[in-house]
Amino acid sequence: MNRKSTLILFAFATATTLASHAHADWYGYGGPVGRPYIQHQSPIGVGPLVTPQLPSAPAGSTLTLPANFLGPVPGSVFMVFKDIKLPVQIVNWSNESITITLPPMAIRHDVRIRLDVILPHGQVGLQKLLLVTPPADVILHPTAPQSPLPTNAALQAAGLLGELGN
């Protein structure tokens, strides 16, 4: 065999080996006769998505946001949801925290918002996600509720307190 035939045979053997390895990696070979078989991978189990529980606060409530390096000079705080951006009242501003009062909102369902704390020079100092819940229902009574027992003032006005006390 001459040198040219040897190179051609070597190239053919190399190409055949590479093709069979590629084929073997995809299908695999099994048994003594080398029959190809399809190798199935077991599906990866995907569990339910775990969403982190957001902190919640009723609309109009006052809350404190811990933070770092805010500086002594107050900046601004905005409540952002969808395309709406509302200013939030700042009650107290310190280097380590901000106490704010959320705007009162007439909402029926929980609303996911983002609070943006803007430092005095315009940089965003903190972003916090929050779930704003509907405010508590308020029940107004037209008159004061009646006491189940008469009070001392009512007994004295009726002239009964003096008689019972003697």
Side-chain angles (χ1 to χ4, degrees):
M1 207 185 252
N2 63 16
R3 181 172 168 85
K4 186 175 182 181
S5 300
T6 305
L7 286 176
I8 292 173
L9 184 59
F10 177 76
F12 179 75
T14 304
T16 305
T17 304
L18 289 175
S20 68
H21 280 277
H23 184 74
D25 287 340
W26 183 256
Y27 291 102
Y29 282 97
V33 291
R35 293 188 192 129
Y37 67 93
I38 297 175
Q39 187 174 10
H40 294 283
Q41 297 286 334
S42 60
I44 298 173
V46 178
L49 292 176
V50 177
T51 54
Q53 186 70 23
L54 290 178
S56 63
S61 63
T62 300
L63 54 121
T64 300
L65 304 172
N68 290 323
F69 309 111
L70 295 174
V73 179
S76 303
V77 180
F78 293 97
M79 183 174 81
V80 181
F81 62 103
K82 296 188 181 183
D83 294 333
I84 301 170
K85 189 174 193 177
L86 297 173
V88 175
Q89 178 186 358
I90 298 172
V91 177
N92 186 24
W93 181 290
S94 72
N95 194 36
E96 296 83 27
S97 67
I98 306 162
T99 302
I100 59 171
T101 300
L102 296 174
M105 299 185 305
I107 56 176
R108 291 182 183 221
H109 305 286
D110 297 350
V111 177
R112 184 179 174 182
I113 66 161
R114 184 184 76 224
L115 292 171
D116 290 345
V117 177
I118 310 299
L119 300 176
H121 59 279
Q123 181 182 359
V124 176
L126 175 69
Q127 287 185 328
K128 185 81 172 169
L129 293 177
L130 180 71
L131 197 63
V132 177
T133 59
D137 292 331
V138 177
I139 300 173
L140 297 176
H141 298 282
T143 59
Q146 297 295 321
S147 172
L149 298 174
T151 62
N152 286 342
L155 291 173
Q156 190 173 20
L160 299 173
L161 188 62
E163 295 173 13
L164 294 176
N166 292 337

